[in-house]
Amino acid sequence: MLNQLTIAGILTEYTNFETVSWDRLWTATRQTIYMSALSVIAVFVLGLILGLILYETRDNQTIWSVALYKSVSVMVNIFRSIPFIILIVLLIPFTRVIVGSITGPTAGLPALILSAAPFYARLVETGLREVDKGVIEAAEAMGASKFELIMKVYIPESLPSIIAGITVTAISLVGYTAMAGVIGAGGLGNLAYLEGFQRGRATVTLVSTLVILLIVFVIQFIGDRWVSYIDKR
């Protein structure tokens, strides 16, 4: 009997939809999508550049290439190793200078970008290393410049890996936005914590979590379909 009452109480707590402010939920969803979309775009560009640098300088033994590879590699490893919640706190002074505030969706972008770009750069580097060496050598034999190699060989040949990598990174960024929201960046994480957990409204936390899951599923679906369309192997 006690167990039945306990289960009934839990179900009631998680299905009290009167506690959900749908306007706030919509606003928080837009904030999460805003943070995720802008950070994914920035991470894609920055991670692609860093990945290309790592790939191009990895086996080059000139002094400048070695120095550049070690510098970029160390920077990537450092930012990739710092837990996101710590990184966003460390970047508060930097965020205040470039954004003018330490709260709100825009204030969460620097930490989101700097935490995910190094991770994605390594995925790009791995994808580039899987490109068939014969294709690269054939392009070089035809007199292709370095820029042409990048645009016509490296990126097209590794595009399925690049897209799969940005899909994984985008899903991680959605999770990061939830953590950023807890310390004032807004979004669904902020709603789930402040409106849900802090005020004892379990339904708010549940609904916020379900919306985050929906966003993740949409990203994964789009990424999988895109990779399937591009990958002709």
Side-chain angles (χ1 to χ4, degrees), residues 47 137 143 178 198 208:
E137 291 172 359
Q198 292 280 27
S208 300

Side-chain angles (χ1 to χ4, degrees), residues 26-130:
W26 172 239
T27 299
T29 302
R30 286 191 290 109
Q31 290 174 340
T32 294
I33 293 174
Y34 166 81
M35 286 188 285
S36 300
L38 288 188
S39 56
V40 164
I41 293 171
V43 165
F44 179 78
V45 175
L46 183 58
L48 190 60
I49 293 171
L50 291 175
L52 284 166
I53 291 173
L54 289 170
Y55 174 75
E56 277 295 305
T57 58
R58 182 182 182 88
D59 297 321
N60 197 321
Q61 296 303 312
T62 65
I63 186 171
W64 294 112
S65 294
V66 171
L68 182 59
Y69 176 79
K70 289 185 177 180
S71 300
V72 174
S73 182
V74 168
M75 180 188 68
V76 164
N77 290 338
I78 289 174
F79 279 98
R80 196 172 59 154
S81 302
I82 301 174
F84 178 75
I85 197 68
I86 296 175
L87 180 63
I88 197 171
V89 173
L90 287 174
L91 290 177
I92 284 177
F94 174 75
T95 301
R96 184 185 289 113
V97 170
I98 65 171
V99 177
S101 173
I102 59 171
T103 58
T106 303
L109 293 177
L112 289 169
I113 294 168
L114 289 177
S115 65
F119 171 74
Y120 181 57
R122 287 298 187 188
L123 295 180
V124 171
E125 181 192 10
T126 301
L128 291 170
R129 291 171 61 186
E130 294 175 355

